[in-house]
Each structure stands twice: as C-alpha cells, then as structure tokens.
Amino acid sequence: MKITWLGHSGFRIEIEQAVLLIDPWLSGNPMFPAARRAEALAGATHVLLTHGHGDHAGDALTIARECRIALVGSYDLVNFWPTKHEIEGIGFNRGGTVGLGGARVTMVAASHSSSLQGPDGPIYAGHEAGYMIAGDGHTVYVSGDTDIMADMGWMGEVHAPDIGILSSGGHFTMDMERAAYAARKYFAFRTVIPCHYRTFPLLAQNADVLKAGLPPGVRLIEPEVLVPITF
C-alpha cells in the first residue's frame, strides 16, 4: 500500500486494486507543483471527497471527467452532481460501506461544515465526513476536516485503524495539540500523518507539537508532496 500527499488535505492512496484520490485540490494549491499533475492522476480509479469546500472539492468534477472515474462521497452532493455533469457518482452516507477496487471504504462522522461557493453565497453540499479505508492488511482513518469528537471513541474500537491521517493545522480544524489528544485518547495508531497544515501562514507549519504528544512507539511521518509512503 502507498500513501502519497498531494499537499494540503489531498492524498493518493494505492490500496488493493484501487487508486483513490482523496480531496485532490491541485489547481491553485500553493503546495502542489502544477507540472506534475499527470503524475498525481496516473491510474486513478476514484475521487473520494470528505466535503464540499473548494480546498477539497474544487478539482473533483474536472478530475472525474478527465480520468473517467467515479466521484464518491456524501449522498446529497454526489448524487446531485451527475444530474448536472457527465460523471458517475457513488453517493452513500455515514455508517455505509462501499467496495472500491477491493478496498472497503466506510464513511464516518466529522465535525466541520460543508458548502459550495455559489453566486449569492454558500450552497448546501451535504454533510462533512471522514473515512475508514481497509485493505492490504491496514485500516487508514482519514479524518477529513474535523475537531475532536466523542464519536472517535467508538470509531477507534470498531475499526481499529493503524494509520491516522489527521487534519491538524488549526484555525479551521484541530490543531496539533488537539490532534495528539485525539490520537492518545481514542486510537491505537502505529503511524500518524498530519494534513491540512503548511499550506498557508494561518496554519501550523510543522508537526513538532503533534509528535511530542503522541504515545511512545507511534511513528509520526511528516509527508512530502508526491513522495510515496510505503506500508
């Protein structure tokens, strides 16, 4: 299995026979090298969205059409888009599980908001979500944009993820200290990868606080854009 950061909250996860592009915001992402776009999209099988904000879903329709792959996410959003755009949508809801190329993807709760930018202000875009992605002997928790939630307690018990991709940049999501607390209290991760940080000056620029707050033996990997992490 390979996990590759696309900058901000975007990831490419190669698991089982799937290549999942999670929140692949590439256009206008200051961390993503535009000249390497084809490399990021090569072989993609699905686009998986956590919510509708532009720094997560801004490129989703373009990529789904260009790569001729399904857009997967909140029922309200993903089942609406195919009626307006020439794409395939796989819409489901919290607690639901879909099979994507041999990987099992379960939608779980997040605590944030979700909207699209409309001409007269925000437009409802379904609910925010996280995902448990199981395959190749691992379960990856993709938190999406979120704060700490009591729901993380049962999520850790039921899904037992060994890898946590945690939003931790602060201001819009958990900060590094809160993400470390969530990891300690609710999960038994072997590896933690921070995201939604470093993109803008407003966000945390390193994960030192997260690293210091993790339990002994938990490996923190600060990802580098387009450098695969192999498990």
Side-chain angles (χ1 to χ4, degrees), residues 57-198:
D59 288 323
L61 287 171
T62 300
I63 291 173
R65 283 195 297 260
E66 178 181 338
C67 298
R68 298 183 180 180
I69 57 178
L71 188 60
V72 186
S74 169
Y75 180 89
D76 300 58
L77 178 61
V78 171
N79 273 38
F80 168 76
W81 267 345
T83 65
K84 301 293 183 181
H85 306 275
E86 295 178 358
I87 62 164
E88 176 188 355
I90 300 175
F92 65 132
N93 218 319
R94 295 171 182 165
T97 300
V98 295
L100 302 178
R104 289 177 54 80
V105 178
T106 302
M107 186 183 293
V108 295
S111 179
H112 191 59
S113 61
S114 180
S115 63
L116 301 170
Q117 188 61 43
D120 299 313
I123 299 173
Y124 171 70
H127 56 68
E128 65 277 18
Y131 294 102
M132 296 288 178
I133 303 172
D136 288 332
H138 296 279
T139 298
V140 183
Y141 170 44
V142 176
S143 74
D145 284 9
T146 193
D147 188 18
I148 302 166
M149 302 177 296
D151 279 356
M152 289 175 172
W154 69 257
M155 287 158 53
E157 291 180 4
V158 170
H159 293 279
D162 57 304
I163 301 167
I165 297 177
L166 304 181
S167 59
S168 45
H171 195 83
F172 302 104
T173 72
M174 298 184 291
D175 61 15
M176 295 292 171
E177 185 175 5
R178 294 167 81 86
Y181 174 88
R184 290 194 310 270
K185 183 170 180 64
Y186 296 121
F187 299 101
F189 296 128
R190 296 179 183 175
T191 303
V192 169
I193 301 170
C195 69
H196 211 282
Y197 81 124
R198 289 171 50 189

